[in-house]
Amino acid sequence: VEKRFPDDKFLLLDTHQEAGMLLRQLANQKQRHLAFRDRRAYLLAHAADFVPGEENNLVGTLKISGYVRGQTLNVNSLLHIIGHGDFQMKQIDAPMDPFPLHPRVIKSRKDPGMAMEICAMDAVADMEEDVKVLMKADPDKQESLQTEVIPDPMEGEQTWPTEEELSEANDFLKERSKVVKKVPKGTSSYQAEWILDEDGASGGEGDEYDDIEQEDFMEEESQDESSEKEEEEEYETMTIGESVRDDLYDEKVDEEAEEKMLEKYKQERMEEMFPDEVDTPRDVAARIRFQKYRGLKSFRTSPWDPKENLPQDYARIFQFQNFTSTRRRIFKEIEEKELEGAEVGWYVTLHVSEVPVSVVEYFKRGAPLIAFSLLPHEQKMSVLNMVVSRHPGNTEPVKAKEELIFHCGFRRFRASPLFSQHTAADKHKFQRFLTADVALVVTVYAPITFPPASVLLFKQNSNGMHSLIATGYLLSVDPDRMVIKRVVLSGHPFKIFTKMAVVRYMFFSREDVLWFKPVELRTKWGRRGHIKEPLGTHGHMKCSFDGKLKSQDTVLMNLYKRVFPKWTYDPYVPEPVPWVKSGISSALPEVDME
């Protein structure tokens, strides 16, 4: 215990005096307030009952009884049952409190001095008689369960212009094409067309690269599994006794999982040694393999439109015009506006509609059933950004787009996130692995949650247990946050002159050299340069730099593209271990911290 919790005091419990010290210690503890919990109404189910529907026995009305905590619970708001999704409420009842602070006392008619307190079991038996309906849902005021925008496939289509629109466009072009020039007296309009401006017409080679926008083939280079086989080392043979213990140990080892983990460790080590470097493929032209990538003069200052080339999934999500002001307005209404509904501390029964029968079966197994009321818009899907730091108790490599289990505020869901650097710029570099030294930003498609909210990241093991891999907090709900993936192509100087060099092995065809000619080059030793011209047909190219190259230097080319998370959101996350009914049920799942 002292090893796991070094800052906490360790108390013994052998004598009555030590027991008294423990009770005083517990009595003086202060509950830590969680902001996301204090702003929402929540309820821990004390009892649950399921009423099957008329059409389908697998879906019906769930009656949850418990004490209201946090805020006033309104029947028109949505209810989120942790691990099962969002639902609507029909009505809220006020049954008799099974554990009242001041029990009812019944005095005997024969002997007024005798009194009897009503116990909790008697109170439960009298519930049906004392049930009062507090509120019923109003269909006009009830929140909708719509989580996604239904995209219109014809929304981006363009109709054929009419004759009036064509004539207006021609007139507009004629007005724009009129240019005022200074010409000698007596010059005709025909002669004025041939007189050039002082600035002249200069077209840069960099314009060729502005049209590089085609379909994406693959985000990462496919690795050839049949590349090179490691030579088997020769060992000296000798006779040893059989070990039963080793055989039993080998039976528990999953060789396939071991091979996958070894490959991930190798990839993580290569990423640390050569960040973002990839080999140019020889079977596919580089201009096709990297056709959606672009070059940037400066990653920090070069412009990039956040609305450019958005995926189809962005038509399904919601975006705020001003998320900060919306969040501030909703929180202000919670503090100032008096809501109608069940007050904090009341014992109520919630009638939740369209709930699957698996929810009550989950509760009967002994697992806690926790329900949270949702704030406006919190059922709608968007892009969530969370800042997380790697937990020191877990050292396994975690790759981007790998399926993880999220505990974000009151929600628990499964998703495949992107990792990116946590910076103040408008563009953020994509990270292929969850590093242990710095905090990173995790980006996923998930329902809107208003910060502040704590975040826990778990990974499900092969035995079903959940391992904690990172902790953090919710940063923002912003689909315009750009995650930029970088790939680095490397070449080697072949012949070096004063400020010129012949570079090879970056490309393997003349067409690829001409295609990437506008992109700036750099070296590992800090030189910058450009491609002058291709040499031959095998990808050699003449390059100029701002200084003389060293023979051991490496020439690099940075290419960038924007990446988006995968739509893998799943709100139904099974429990890591089977629950056991006990006297006191824990509200948190059992976690393998190792």
Side-chain angles (χ1 to χ4, degrees), residues 10 63 112 207 271 289 329 332 378 384 398 465 485:
F10 186 65
K63 297 180 181 180
D207 297 339
E271 180 66 21
R289 166 65 181 85
R329 175 180 57 81
K332 187 176 181 181
E378 284 196 330
L384 269 61
V398 180
M465 297 291 290
K485 181 180 180 180

Side-chain angles (χ1 to χ4, degrees), residues 274-298:
F274 306 101
D276 301 325
E277 286 194 32
V278 297
D279 295 330
T280 306
R282 305 195 64 172
D283 54 343
V284 180
R287 62 185 182 278
I288 296 177
R289 166 65 181 85
F290 304 109
Q291 61 185 348
K292 205 173 182 181
Y293 289 82
R294 68 182 71 177
L296 295 178
K297 180 70 176 177
S298 170

